[in-house]
Amino acid sequence: MILLAGGGYALWYSNALNNALFMGSEQDASVNAALTAGEAGKPFYMLVLGSDSREGSGTSDKEAESGDNQRSDVMILLRVDPASRQVTMVSIPRDTPLMLEDGRVVKINEAYNLGGAAYSIRAVSDLTGVPISHYAEVHFSEFQELVDKLGGITVDVPVEISYQDALTGETVKLEPGVQTLDGQEAQIFARARHEYGDNQEAKRQSNIRQLFQAIVDEVLQKSLTELPGTVLDLASCVGTDMDTADIVSLALQFAGASGKVTMYSCTGPSNGDFFEEHDGMWLCYENPEGWATLMADVDAGEDPSSLDVESMAIVPQALDAAA
């Protein structure tokens, strides 16, 4: 009877988790076609997207960038090495240029609006030169729910932040220092950038990676008996190609490893300027050498955070002379 009960729970849990993670047959098919199968037991790459899906929130005064149109302002490429309990986070700057088939240049976060998660996967894989084996997506509003389900997360807020919640209109203020943020506060911390003076986007991406690490730390502190329930709670806030077997296997390999997981963090080349030939859009400079240098360290399992990849950027002569 115990074995039957255990088997019944396992079956129920597997079905419940798979249903929670299901993205829809059309989305699943396109995403799976864009992914590259990894080798068993080897490190793999996973793309995490935070999509800006906020119906009616007035996120832009441009018709093409408002309403149900979505952009992935958060794009983090993860190298996951379960055997070494190591994760490397690489932020993909949203202003990285992406050339479309018709020759137009847009920002890479536009890929999600044009072709969904599958196009984002292909664009990031082409940019970084690595195969992407898995994918996960968290929507703007679901991120808040995810943090609340964990009971909050602890981060170090570098400066005072005052920001209007796009969903509620409420102004939320955060004081600097180490503190536990609830879901709304974490969402504000992830979005604020104007408080940072120079290198605003790079600093915002650093905050987002700090949030991601705080979520991982919080999950890893759960006991083996708590872990299945925690994973199921979080699954309702996440869409991914991974199924129950993938997630349980990965969770067990990292379970109980809080404080023992090596996490590296960096951003891709982010310096740039306004480009008149692209309708005055602000874009990152082309930097294939910088990306190749960065990803070589990431792929080797090294800490890429101290690399100077910005000096390798291709700065157009007109812009260079103006500077």
Side-chain angles (χ1 to χ4, degrees):
M1 290 180 64
I2 293 174
L3 288 174
L4 287 173
Y9 174 78
L11 181 60
W12 171 85
Y13 183 85
S14 178
N15 288 334
L17 185 56
N18 283 335
N19 288 336
L21 298 170
F22 182 61
M23 296 180 291
S25 57
E26 184 177 343
Q27 175 81 322
D28 276 334
S30 63
V31 165
N32 288 334
L35 297 172
T36 302
E39 295 183 51
K42 299 290 186 181
F44 63 87
Y45 286 94
M46 179 174 190
L47 182 62
V48 177
L49 296 181
S51 62
D52 196 6
S53 174
R54 295 173 292 171
E55 183 176 356
S57 63
T59 57
S60 173
D61 57 5
K62 298 178 182 179
E63 183 178 353
E65 299 178 7
S66 61
D68 292 335
N69 290 312
Q70 303 175 27
R71 277 158 184 78
S72 51
D73 276 0
V74 177
M75 307 177 77
I76 302 178
L77 181 66
L78 305 179
R79 179 186 182 269
V80 182
D81 185 351
S84 300
R85 287 184 167 179
Q86 177 182 305
V87 177
T88 304
M89 297 181 284
V90 181
S91 290
I92 310 298
R94 66 177 185 175
D95 299 313
T96 301
L98 172 67
M99 180 173 286
L100 306 179
E101 290 183 358
D102 61 6
R104 289 187 300 124
V105 172
V106 297
K107 300 184 180 189
I108 198 168
N109 69 336
E110 175 73 8
Y112 188 93
N113 190 41
L114 295 173
Y119 193 11
S120 296
I121 292 168
R122 292 194 298 270
V124 173
S125 182
D126 289 343
L127 174 71
T128 59
V130 298
I132 297 175
S133 301
H134 292 294
Y135 153 83
E137 179 180 342
V138 182
H139 287 157
F140 178 83
S141 57
E142 291 168 347
F143 174 73
Q144 182 169 326
E145 181 184 356
L146 185 153
V147 172
D148 284 334
K149 284 188 173 183
L150 284 173
I153 53 177
T154 301
V155 300
D156 186 1
V157 179
V159 298
E160 180 180 310
I161 292 173
S162 180
Y163 196 90
Q164 186 177 52
D165 188 318
L167 291 173
T168 67
E170 177 186 3
T171 298
V172 178
K173 293 185 178 181
L174 301 178
E175 297 296 329
V178 177
Q179 57 198 280
T180 299
L181 305 183
D182 63 21
Q184 184 190 42
E185 292 167 337
Q187 171 242 115
I188 294 300
F189 186 54
R191 297 197 63 81
R193 61 188 177 92
H194 294 296
E195 287 80 359
Y196 294 103
D198 60 347
N199 297 323
Q200 293 179 352
E201 184 59 18
K203 290 174 181 176
R204 185 180 80 93
Q205 294 295 342
S206 177
N207 289 344
I208 292 168
R209 295 194 304 275
Q210 187 185 169
L211 286 168
F212 183 87
Q213 182 165 352
I215 291 171
V216 171
D217 288 342
E218 193 66 35
V219 172
L220 292 180
Q221 290 175 15
K222 304 295 182 183
S223 68
L224 287 176
T225 55
E226 295 176 301
L227 194 58
T230 299
V231 170
L232 188 57
D233 279 345
L234 299 185
S236 64
C237 307
V238 178
T240 179
D241 69 290
M242 300 179 80
D243 60 19
T244 299
D246 294 327
I247 291 175
V248 170
S249 174
L250 193 61
L252 290 176
Q253 289 179 80
F254 279 96
S258 181
K260 301 176 184 177
V261 175
T262 300
M263 295 195 74
Y264 295 137
S265 173
C266 69
T267 186
S270 59
N271 284 354
D273 209 324
F274 295 99
F275 285 75
E276 292 303 321
E277 65 269 36
H278 301 308
D279 298 325
M281 211 172 9
W282 201 100
L283 294 167
C284 298
Y285 298 129
E286 295 283 352
N287 196 340
E289 184 181 356
W291 273 110
T293 301
L294 174 65
M295 293 310 301
D297 261 29
V298 172
D299 210 41
E302 303 292 335
D303 182 358
S305 60
S306 62
L307 290 174
D308 177 18
V309 295
E310 302 294 358
S311 63
M312 306 174 192
I314 302 172
V315 181
Q317 290 185 349
L319 294 176
D320 201 16

